[in-house]
Amino acid sequence: MARTFPRPHRDDWWIAVGGLLGGLLLWALGIHPRDHSDDLVLWHTAWAPLLPLALTAACEPLRRVRPRTGLLFGTLMLVLDTVTLGSVVTVVLYTDLMYAAVLYGTPASARRIPWIAGMLTVLGGVVPAGLWHDPQGLLIGLGIGVVALAPATTGALVRGHRDAAEAARLRAEQTALLAEMDRAQAVTAERARVARELHDMVANHLSAIAIHSTAALSLDDAKTTREALAVIRENSVAGLAEMRRLIGILRDRSGDRQPAASPTLAGLGALVGTARSNGLDVTLDAGHGEVPAPVELAAYRIVQESLTNALKHAAEGRVRVVLRRHGGLLDIRVTSPYQPGDTPRAPGSGAGLTGMRERAALLGGTFEAGPRDGLWAVRAALPLTEGDSA
């Protein structure tokens, strides 16, 4: 594969052409910085200044793509120009090459070139003045400073501002990217929270409705049908109330209402009573005392979902709900009879277990659920600290 080189910038070609034409105009008018009597002039031919002028102009297209190469050849041409009658344009083009070498060169070049130019300026002024014992020797150093140090310093300053602007732009892009990532994570977390709330609020009532409607359809008994319809109506009304509350929370733009503020552990008795009316044999043993509101909500929802799962999947037998406070943890245990292979009385998606696990994880607690000693056991340990129960 052939190696490709960057093409010179169009503006650099214009600089080269403009400089060459300007130098030719001054040469045609006979305007030179030196005359034939100058001791430095070793090449007195009239056209001699044109050679360094043309070659320096030819280095201009390299000012961005090969800045060090352009500066090297430009320096050689400047030295050659000093032994001819000279051209002001050659000097001007060289200062541009020096400026470009610092601005567009490598970081190492941008650091070294100003230092080298500064040392040459000092030496160019001090050494001739010391050798000739003439203060006018300092003018040589001044000339080197104008031709080399000034454009190199200017290039370093411009490069510093450019790098600072680029760094600021990158920081702004990174900040915008992080903000977008935070926004996406916040949206995802909010969607997960709403999904948990919706599931926990409605799943229990809909499961009871599904189970009792199945019973009403399968049994040809008027009393049983009336009882089933009564349970269905009760759960329908309760489910609608929960749905209205959730919709109200979602539509409230003030941000003052939080789903986490509603259920409390004081409502476990009513929750267990509802489970009993739905046909479960439930006992409640709650010795938790005062707990923070986020932990209270998470514990309530875990018990609620556990009872819902028991209603859908549990075999005949007693369901036990136990809450105990052990040191800095609230321990929650819900056990229900379990028969592997039994067909659930209402369909499930597994979202309930996922929601309980997420609630425990958001508080820094632990959660586990599975068969144990012929029972289906749900256990959660929640730290008694403030947190986001979401």
Side-chain angles (χ1 to χ4, degrees):
M1 182 176 178
R3 185 178 179 183
T4 59
F5 294 95
R7 299 177 61 183
H9 196 276
R10 182 179 60 182
D11 293 343
D12 297 339
W13 286 108
W14 284 112
I15 294 174
V17 173
L20 180 60
L21 293 177
L24 290 174
L25 177 62
L26 294 180
W27 175 82
L29 296 174
I31 300 175
H32 303 287
R34 290 176 290 276
D35 55 31
H36 292 279
S37 63
D38 197 321
D39 295 335
L40 293 177
V41 178
L42 302 178
W43 195 356
H44 294 275
T45 306
W47 54 265
L50 297 180
L51 178 61
L53 170 65
L55 294 179
T56 304
C59 292
E60 282 294 336
L62 302 177
R63 64 192 298 274
R64 299 175 200 256
V65 295
R66 292 289 186 271
R68 288 190 298 180
T69 303
L71 179 62
L72 176 61
F73 281 101
T75 302
L76 295 177
M77 292 306 103
L78 182 65
V79 173
L80 180 61
D81 181 76
T82 59
V83 300
T84 69
L85 296 177
S87 173
V88 175
V89 176
T90 302
V91 177
V92 173
L93 291 176
Y94 178 78
T95 60
D96 181 66
L97 292 174
M98 178 67 73
Y99 168 83
V102 176
L103 181 60
Y104 301 114
T106 62
S109 297
R111 291 192 301 268
R112 294 169 184 167
I113 291 175
W115 281 102
I116 295 173
M119 288 189 294
L120 290 176
T121 299
V122 173
L123 292 176
V126 173
V127 172
L131 292 177
W132 299 338
H133 302 287
D134 187 351
Q136 290 188 354
L138 295 174
L139 295 177
I140 298 176
L142 179 61
I144 296 175
V146 172
V147 173
L149 180 59
T153 304
T154 303
L157 291 174
V158 173
R159 181 173 183 139
H161 288 299
R162 187 190 67 179
D163 292 345
E166 180 66 15
R169 184 186 66 81
L170 291 176
R171 285 196 297 270
E173 290 180 354
Q174 292 173 354
T175 301
L177 179 61
L178 290 175
E180 178 61 23
M181 293 174 61
D182 290 342
R183 187 197 67 82
Q185 291 176 354
V187 170
T188 302
E190 185 65 16
R191 290 177 63 181
R193 182 173 74 167
V194 172
R196 285 194 299 271
E197 288 296 322
L198 181 61
H199 179 275
D200 292 344
M201 286 179 177
V202 180
N204 183 50
H205 301 298
L206 292 182
S207 297
I209 290 172
I211 292 170
H212 285 82
S213 61
T214 301
L217 292 172
S218 60
L219 298 177
D220 187 14
D221 181 74
K223 180 180 179 182
T224 303
T225 300
R226 283 195 300 272
E227 292 175 352
L229 290 175
V231 173
I232 289 172
R233 183 184 183 282
E234 179 183 348
N235 282 276
S236 299
V237 172
L240 285 173
E242 294 280 12
M243 282 292 294
R244 291 192 188 100
R245 189 174 70 84
L246 179 59
I247 292 172
I249 292 171
L250 293 176
R251 289 192 174 187
D252 182 22
R253 297 182 180 180
S254 66
D256 296 333
R257 298 174 62 184
Q258 295 291 333
S262 296
T264 65
L265 292 180
L268 286 180
L271 183 65
V272 168
T274 301
R276 287 173 182 153
S277 66
N278 289 334
L280 287 179
D281 181 10
V282 188
T283 62
L284 174 64
D285 183 3
H288 48 78
E290 293 293 328
V291 298
V295 179
E296 196 168 21
L297 170 67
Y300 181 93
R301 292 302 191 197
I302 289 173
V303 172
Q304 183 184 42
E305 180 59 27
S306 299
L307 293 178
T308 300
N309 289 339
L311 180 64
K312 292 189 293 185
H313 302 283
E316 293 293 330
R318 176 163 295 182
V319 178
R320 293 178 54 85
V321 179
V322 180
L323 281 80
R324 284 287 183 271
R325 184 168 182 159
H326 298 292
L329 295 175
L330 176 64
D331 188 66
I332 306 165
R333 300 185 185 216
V334 181
T335 57
S336 57
Y338 173 71
Q339 280 293 341
D342 281 357
T343 302
R345 285 174 281 181
S349 63
L353 292 176
T354 301
M356 290 190 286
R357 186 173 289 105
E358 288 177 351
R359 289 186 183 279
L362 287 172
L363 289 170
T366 60
F367 173 83
E368 57 184 31
R372 180 180 299 175
D373 300 329
L375 300 174
W376 182 267
V378 173
R379 179 179 179 183
L382 307 179
L384 294 174
T385 55
E386 293 292 336
D388 178 16
S389 66

